[in-house]
Amino acid sequence: MADKFDVIVIGAGPGGYVAAIRAAQLGLKAACVEKWIGKEGNVVHGGTCLNVGCIPSKALLEASHKFVEAKHDFDDMGINAGDVTMDVKKMMARKDKIVKNLTGGISGLFKANGVTSIEGTGKVVSGKQVEVTDHDGKTTTYDAENIIIAAGSVPIEIPPTPLVDGMVVDSTGALEFQETPKRLGVIGAGIIGLELGSVWNRLGSEVTVLEAMDDFLPMVDTAIAKETQKILKKQGLDIKLNARVTGSEVKGEEVVVKYTDANGEQEMTFDKLIVCVGRRPYTKGVIADGVSIELDERGFIFVDDQCRTNVPGVYAVGDCVRGPMLAHKASEEGIMVADIIAGHKAEMNYDTIPNVVYTFPEVAWVGMTEQDAKAKGIEVKIGAFPFAASGRAMANNATEGTAKIIADAETDRILGMHIVGQHAGEMIAQGVIAMEFGSSAEDLALTCYAHPTMSEAVHEAALAVDGHAIHMANRKKRK
Ligand SMILES: NC(=O)c1ccc[n+]([C@@H]2O[C@H](COP(=O)([O-])OP(=O)(O)OC[C@H]3O[C@@H](n4cnc5c(N)ncnc54)[C@H](O)[C@@H]3O)[C@@H](O)[C@H]2O)c1
């Protein structure tokens, strides 16, 4: 007779492993089921984020950024780095080592917190039972008072561009190139397209990004998105908007891509092609036939605001449910659900989830854009401050970008913060905290910021909301 648990979590990504640890910390008997086989042939924890997503891509972004700095920017600072070259294989090996350390770290955290790790493929076979099939095909059924499905997502494949090993790849394959392609095509100017396009552009590829939509980064405030587009273009990323890919064909060592734009049918030839046109929820095989957990029309597991499915005691979190596909959103949902199962009151504020694109400079935002607010009929006040006017940005050689705050004209409450600039991903936490605490722009304006820091741009933007920025000419009449 297999063990009985208070909670069984299916999936050990940032939603699942965090939920399992929190549940165990709250005194619940918790288990986490994972099937992912790592490069060394054993089961690894951490899901997409640690294995083939957030972490490995950041390792490559950081290395490629340092390469650009050493090759092109150091000279400005009087540093002579000589002939700078990149060893792509070594960069990849470092990335793999980071992944191994982190995924191994989760196993350690499970042990330290008393979470039972179960290896194999988990399936909900009833509201209170999970069947696990191990890698030898043996099945075991575990009883659980509560079940959390955290099965994640997988890249979307589109019929025009079938994957071809090593030539036409998804975001996972793009982390494995062993040399810099001369001509790289990227389909989709979403977050993955811009991040991976940046890595290889910095390492010397000629990168063309083909994006079907007319708008660039439509979820970002228009002024910040426009500035980002300009900066990336200057770096050499050729971003073609309104370019819908309709087909691809591998011919020898090349990939020929067909797309349509305003001028009709077009064709381009690349050495490698990355397809990053979005991700879809991964629910295949997770729910047994006869278990009536509802999915929505797009295949996401249907949940309420507190991640309850329609079956009592069964919850779902992360990429397999509605909302942004972000690791930190998944983790917060995991914590909320563990708290609820342990009998606590818990909820999540979906309005204050930050987003970051880890290009250089980074793009980060939380809350409404100026356009969102206007569309909702909310009258707003805007404060924006360019990094070009920041002393620290000049010292850092990072003067591109702007911090922008959108505040309610009547109440002064901060509705959104959108930033493009070096360390924007760190700075956005200020906007998140301010919004969580219901702050006004004046609250930030009255806060003492350390000098000289990049964050002072946020302070100045807050001051600018009422026309009181110090280090630039204010456009608005002061009150
Ligand atoms: N830094 C981060 O937070 C981060 C990093 C990576 C991924 N993610 C998440 O992973 C998910 C997937 O990312 P993504 O970039 O693959 O998806 P995405 O949805 O952000 O972007 C995909 C883009 O592909 C375009 N597209 C689709 N079909 C096309 C075609 N035939 N031709 C040309 N363009 C086409 C779409 O218009 C869209 O703009 C997102 O939800 C993202 O938030 C987040």
Side-chain angles (χ1 to χ4, degrees):
M1 173 71 188
D3 283 350
K4 185 173 177 184
F5 293 93
D6 296 320
V7 189
I8 294 184
V9 185
I10 299 179
Y17 84 75
V18 168
I21 290 173
R22 176 68 152 220
Q25 286 173 346
L26 294 171
L28 300 171
K29 189 171 177 193
C32 189
V33 188
E34 178 55 66
K35 70 181 172 76
W36 193 302
I37 303 283
K39 282 188 169 174
E40 293 178 1
N42 52 328
V43 168
V44 287
H45 298 121
T48 299
C49 172
L50 269 65
N51 287 288
V52 294
C54 322
I55 298 298
S57 63
K58 260 66 292 160
L60 302 189
L61 279 157
E62 193 61 32
S64 57
H65 178 59
K66 285 201 159 51
F67 174 69
V68 167
E69 282 191 313
K71 205 169 168 70
H72 302 293
D73 303 341
F74 277 8
D75 189 50
D76 257 8
M77 297 184 176
I79 305 168
N80 182 356
D83 185 19
V84 181
T85 57
M86 174 52 100
D87 181 339
V88 173
K89 289 192 176 70
K90 199 163 174 186
M91 173 181 80
M92 290 297 178
R94 171 182 174 268
K95 176 240 343 165
D96 289 342
K97 198 170 150 200
I98 294 168
V99 169
K100 192 177 167 198
N101 277 347
L102 275 174
T103 53
I106 295 175
S107 310
L109 289 173
F110 277 175
K111 279 195 194 109
N113 285 284
V115 174
T116 301
S117 172
I118 302 175
E119 295 184 356
T121 304
K123 185 195 271 186
V124 180
V125 289
S126 82
K128 293 207 181 297
Q129 278 181 322
V130 174
E131 179 191 274
V132 179
T133 306
D134 71 14
H135 292 97
D136 298 323
K138 182 173 159 261
T139 60
T140 310
T141 303
Y142 298 88
D143 291 328
E145 271 310 306
N146 300 277
I147 297 168
I148 305 174
I149 304 172
S153 62
V154 288
I156 292 176
E157 285 180 43
I158 50 173
T161 54
L163 300 187
V164 178
D165 207 22
M167 292 285 284
V168 181
V169 298
D170 59 14
S171 54
T172 304
L175 298 173
E176 298 300 332
F177 293 162
Q178 295 300 315
E179 55 188 43
T180 305
K182 189 167 175 316
R183 298 160 302 173
L184 175 67
V186 176
I187 309 182
I191 299 183
I192 297 184
L194 295 178
E195 291 186 356
L196 290 175
S198 290
V199 166
W200 296 106
N201 177 51
R202 291 169 191 171
L203 297 182
S205 296
E206 291 160 23
V207 180
T208 305
V209 184
L210 300 167
E211 166 56 54
M213 286 190 299
D214 281 338
D215 280 348
F216 179 71
L217 288 180
M219 57 293 203
V220 180
D221 188 89
T222 303
I224 299 295
K226 280 214 163 83
E227 194 172 353
T228 306
Q229 192 182 354
K230 226 162 107 188
I231 295 169
L232 295 179
K233 188 174 172 198
K234 210 171 109 196
Q235 291 173 6
L237 270 186
D238 181 10
I239 302 167
K240 295 190 191 302
L241 299 178
N242 195 17
R244 177 173 296 277
V245 173
T246 53
S248 70
E249 195 185 340
V250 173
K251 290 185 178 165
E253 298 290 295
E254 298 182 325
V255 190
V256 179
V257 173
K258 287 197 166 68
Y259 65 95
T260 51
D261 65 10
N263 300 318
E265 283 265 330
Q266 310 290 342
E267 203 177 277
M268 279 189 88
T269 303
F270 302 107
D271 300 303
K272 304 256 185 220
L273 181 66
I274 307 176
V275 183
C276 33
V277 294
R279 299 180 62 87
R280 60 178 172 81
Y282 181 72
T283 52
K284 193 175 153 225
V286 176
I287 302 165
D289 293 344
V291 178
S292 56
I293 294 172
E294 281 172 21
L295 305 186
D296 71 15
E297 65 282 359
R298 292 184 304 150
F300 291 92
I301 297 174
F302 184 78
V303 290
D304 69 7
D305 286 349
Q306 285 160 313
C307 293
R308 292 180 192 89
T309 70
N310 59 308
V311 173
V314 181
Y315 301 79
V317 301
D319 283 9
C320 65
V321 305
R322 83 283 173 269
M325 287 185 170
L326 297 170
H328 45 277
K329 173 259 193 186
S331 298
E332 286 306 307
E333 287 181 334
I335 287 175
M336 169 178 72
V337 168
D339 284 357
I340 291 169
I341 292 171
H344 300 292
K345 286 203 171 115
E347 60 179 15
M348 233 185 103
N349 185 355
Y350 285 91
D351 292 335
T352 54
I353 297 172
N355 291 265
V356 185
V357 189
Y358 294 89
T359 43
F360 187 89
E362 291 173 350
V363 191
W365 67 98
V366 58
M368 288 185 206
T369 63
E370 184 178 349
Q371 300 73 42
D372 290 336
K374 285 185 176 156
K376 288 194 165 106
I378 304 170
E379 219 182 298
V380 292
K381 298 184 287 185
I382 303 297
F385 188 81
F387 285 96
S390 151
R392 183 57 194 267
M394 285 180 214
N396 286 7
N397 204 11
T399 50
E400 286 175 320
T402 300
K404 176 167 175 175
I405 291 176
I406 296 105
D408 187 303
E410 201 183 323
T411 63
D412 195 40
R413 188 174 271 230
I414 297 172
L415 303 174
M417 187 184 285
H418 292 241
I419 308 174
V420 53
Q422 186 190 41
H423 307 318
E426 305 288 343
M427 279 184 267
I428 202 63
Q430 298 169 45
V432 175
I433 294 167
M435 286 177 64
E436 270 293 334
F437 283 76
S439 306
S440 61
E442 189 185 30
D443 289 327
L444 283 189
L446 292 173
T447 301
C448 182
Y449 277 69
H451 176 73
T453 57
M454 295 296 279
S455 290
E456 284 172 297
V458 172
H459 189 212
E460 289 276 4
L463 285 161
V465 166
D466 277 321
H468 290 115
I470 301 291
H471 294 93
M472 67 168 193
N474 291 280
R475 282 202 211 138
K476 285 188 183 161
K477 237 175 131 186
R478 284 184 286 278
K479 286 180 197 162

